Amino acid sequence: MSRRFNTHNRFAAELDSAPSRLEELTLHHRLEERERRASGWRRNLSVAALLVVAVLVTMFIAR
């Protein structure tokens, strides 16, 4: 009879181990995500600007 009671809650551990997505609903998390994306855009644009400057300098020197 004790064997029957051992399996009555066999899925509880799986539910507790699932990652929570409640953090995604908070304003703080959304602001952090927006800032992370903005910093990525700034980095990409600065690399592109440096590449353009390098090409322009190379073209000027090659003349």
Side-chain angles (χ1 to χ4, degrees):
M1 184 137 180
S2 66
R3 199 178 244 191
R4 184 174 133 206
F5 290 119
N6 283 339
T7 60
H8 80 282
N9 200 12
R10 65 179 183 225
F11 299 112
E14 292 174 17
L15 292 175
D16 289 340
S17 65
S20 174
R21 297 187 68 185
L22 288 175
E23 183 179 292
E24 294 176 8
L25 299 175
T26 63
L27 178 64
H28 181 68
H29 178 73
R30 286 185 295 180
L31 291 175
E32 283 181 347
E33 185 70 20
R34 185 179 297 155
E35 180 59 33
R36 187 181 63 81
R37 288 183 182 154
S39 67
W41 275 101
R42 283 192 298 267
R43 183 189 66 236
N44 292 343
L45 287 176
S46 64
V47 168
L50 288 173
L51 183 63
V52 168
V53 168
V55 167
L56 290 174
V57 168
T58 305
M59 288 174 54
F60 181 74
I61 292 173
R63 267 204 285 162

